[in-house]
Amino acid sequence: MPVMNDSQDSTGPTASASPAGLLRRLAAMTYDVLLVVAVWMIGTAALLPLTGGETIEGVWRLLFQLYVLALTFAFFALFWLHGGQTLGMKAWRIYVERADGGAMTLKDAALRFLAAIPSLLPAGVGLLWCVVDRQHQAMHDRLSRTRVVHRPRDA
């Protein structure tokens, strides 16, 4: 059974929603980066007893990087799958949903997360695409068939 989020009601998905703009997205991302760094710190602290507080080197370094990537995915996927919002998105009243207005699945979340990596890495060019896109979608929105919408407070 799909999870109904705040951007869906009985009259139809995102009835009063509009595409989220770049500034709103950047503001939410700023909040979320702080939270993700905290998750990384807690995740790293959990490994300190195993390393004796020493730097992780060799093949273990690659495993650690994959572990951090998995923590990051878990952070976003849990929020996207349960309500369609991270805490940063909630502060700015924006939601992520499938392009058809439905709630995201784990497959949708994984595709969006993986598409966002190359979209954001080259100086955020994929995110900046939402400024010129006629539907205000970033490259990772298009690639993952999702969209980010803003709902006004009274909706």
Side-chain angles (χ1 to χ4, degrees):
M1 178 176 179
V3 176
M4 183 179 263
N5 63 36
D6 293 333
S7 66
Q8 298 172 316
D9 60 23
S10 58
T11 61
T14 64
S16 62
S18 61
L22 178 62
L23 292 179
R24 216 172 259 285
R25 286 173 179 244
L26 289 173
M29 286 173 66
T30 301
Y31 286 31
D32 289 336
V33 163
L34 297 173
L35 295 170
V36 167
V37 168
V39 168
W40 292 345
M41 291 172 68
I42 292 167
T44 301
L47 296 179
L48 285 177
L50 301 175
T51 67
E54 296 296 321
T55 304
I56 298 171
E57 297 294 335
V59 68
W60 295 107
R61 185 178 181 105
L62 175 63
L63 291 174
F64 174 72
Q65 291 169 339
L66 291 173
Y67 167 72
V68 170
L69 187 66
L71 286 175
T72 307
F73 171 69
F75 172 86
F76 286 104
L78 285 171
F79 281 109
W80 291 340
L81 296 176
H82 299 284
Q85 295 177 290
T86 60
L87 293 174
M89 294 170 82
K90 191 175 193 98
W92 292 93
R93 295 185 311 278
I94 59 177
Y95 299 79
V96 63
E97 61 189 15
R98 291 185 354 200
D100 64 7
M104 290 179 63
T105 65
L106 183 59
K107 181 180 174 184
D108 296 325
L111 185 58
R112 180 177 174 79
F113 182 79
L114 292 173
I117 294 169
S119 178
L120 296 175
L121 280 182
V125 171
L127 179 63
L128 294 173
W129 182 257
C130 73
V131 174
V132 297
D133 186 86
R134 59 187 166 83
Q135 294 177 326
H136 302 288
Q137 289 186 306
M139 290 305 291
H140 53 279
D141 296 330
R142 291 234 174 250
L143 291 170
S144 63
R145 293 180 299 281
T146 59
R147 64 183 178 188
V148 179
V149 295
H150 169 249
R151 290 188 60 209
R153 196 176 302 260
D154 56 79

